[in-house]
Amino acid sequence: MRRPVVMGNWKLNGSKAMVTELLNGLNTATADIDGVDVVVAPPALYIDQAERLIKENASKLILGAQNTDVNNSGAFTGDMSPEMLKDFGATHIIIGHSERREYHEESDEFVAKKFAFLKENGLIPVLCIGESDAQNEAGETESVVSRQIDAVINHCGIEAFNGAIIAYEPIWAIGTGKAATADDAQRIHAFIRSHVAKHDAAVAEQLIIQYGGSVKPENAQSYFQNPDIDGALVGGASLKADSFAAIAAAAAEAKKA
Ligand code: PEP
């Protein structure tokens, strides 16, 4: 049985006051929820504050981040490294988000390098994959996600997916309120798992595959009741403690043994 993982991607949102309020609220709201890993990925500048608040509250919340560089130190202005992320206790690191692929022109190969470097440094890559609206309309979803996964397999080998996470995020569903139907998401998740299983069945079986794209408390349960949807990567709804906790609770309830 895979333990579900619900992760909040705060993107470029926050202030010191907001981080304190949200993490204190989340700590209270998730205190009684068991059977799910609840991860928060604040903007880099607030990771230090988040670590301190999580420790002070003796919270079960897990710290993540939204990006990494492919070097641990040196002349790489503006970047942050796996070593630094580890220094602050961050474990789950988002890579390949469609916003970085689009606005920072990150290629499949560069994302695969990040995946490899996170693994080398003992961190958990949360590999975002997913198709655009046009690709969806053209029936190219399976070929797009296969290409994105194969870039990692070719660079790192299939074993690298042991302990890693894939977040299937159709780009047209991110921040739009136009979520994929639970049936469509399950179909693509099953495809992703079978694609990985072609290389190694055991790796595919343990792989956490999250759905991301306009997940809300109102639709969360419909995703988690499907066998191949092991959690969610949540943007907008992760900025409200009650909404995010409700999504985590739905995952715990749907996946309880
Ligand atoms: C995301 O950015 O990863 C995301 C899924 O955003 P939202 O939940 O707001 O659609």
Side-chain angles (χ1 to χ4, degrees), residues 9 11 97 99 169 173-175 212-215 233-236:
N9 173 13
K11 309 194 189 190
H97 193 283
E99 288 152 16
E169 299 205 307
I174 296 177
S214 298
V215 176
L233 183 56
V234 185

Side-chain angles (χ1 to χ4, degrees), residues 39-119:
V39 190
V40 291
L45 277 176
Y46 298 106
I47 288 176
D48 175 37
Q49 187 186 348
E51 184 198 24
R52 278 186 279 115
L53 283 167
I54 288 172
K55 279 193 180 145
E56 268 166 31
N57 287 328
S59 170
K60 290 185 294 195
L61 294 172
I62 297 169
L63 189 54
Q66 301 174 21
N67 192 21
T68 181
D69 189 39
V70 292
N71 301 281
N72 264 331
S73 62
F76 303 102
T77 303
D79 278 317
M80 65 183 175
S81 71
E83 283 292 353
M84 292 170 182
L85 292 167
K86 277 201 286 193
D87 207 14
F88 289 93
T91 51
H92 293 55
I93 318 299
I94 298 169
I95 53 171
H97 193 283
S98 60
E99 288 152 16
R100 291 208 64 88
R101 291 181 191 263
E102 181 179 353
Y103 306 138
H104 298 268
E105 295 179 8
E106 293 193 3
S107 66
D108 289 342
E109 290 67 33
F110 187 53
V111 173
K113 267 189 172 184
K114 291 188 177 194
F115 193 110
F117 202 55
L118 287 174
K119 292 292 289 189

Side-chain angles (χ1 to χ4, degrees), residues 97-160:
H97 193 283
S98 60
E99 288 152 16
R100 291 208 64 88
R101 291 181 191 263
E102 181 179 353
Y103 306 138
H104 298 268
E105 295 179 8
E106 293 193 3
S107 66
D108 289 342
E109 290 67 33
F110 187 53
V111 173
K113 267 189 172 184
K114 291 188 177 194
F115 193 110
F117 202 55
L118 287 174
K119 292 292 289 189
E120 212 178 289
N121 282 278
L123 293 171
I124 299 173
V126 178
L127 171 69
C128 299
I129 59 174
E131 81 287 1
S132 67
D133 204 7
Q135 290 165 331
N136 181 43
E137 291 294 321
E140 292 169 2
T141 300
E142 285 85 349
S143 63
V144 170
V145 298
S146 302
R147 192 199 70 223
Q148 292 170 325
I149 294 169
D150 289 348
V152 175
I153 297 175
N154 293 339
H155 189 80
C156 314
I158 190 68
E159 279 78 24

Side-chain angles (χ1 to χ4, degrees), residues 5-14 18-27 29-30 37-43 61-62 64-66 94 97 99 169 174-175 210-220 224 232-248:
V5 181
V6 170
M7 181 161 184
N9 173 13
W10 296 3
K11 309 194 189 190
L12 189 56
N13 295 294
M18 178 270 212
V19 170
T20 300
E21 192 187 329
L22 180 52
L23 283 179
N24 286 343
L26 263 181
N27 189 47
T30 58
D37 284 346
V38 184
V39 190
V40 291
L61 294 172
I62 297 169
Q66 301 174 21
I94 298 169
H97 193 283
E99 288 152 16
E169 299 205 307
I174 296 177
Q210 299 173 319
Y211 168 74
S214 298
V215 176
K216 308 251 175 309
E218 299 75 35
N219 61 15
F224 302 142
L233 183 56
V234 185
S238 73
L239 297 171
K240 292 205 175 90
D242 288 349
S243 299
F244 191 50
I247 294 168

Side-chain angles (χ1 to χ4, degrees), residues 161-179:
F161 279 100
N162 267 322
I165 295 175
I166 288 180
Y168 168 59
E169 299 205 307
I171 298 169
W172 47 269
I174 296 177
T176 59
K178 187 181 150 201

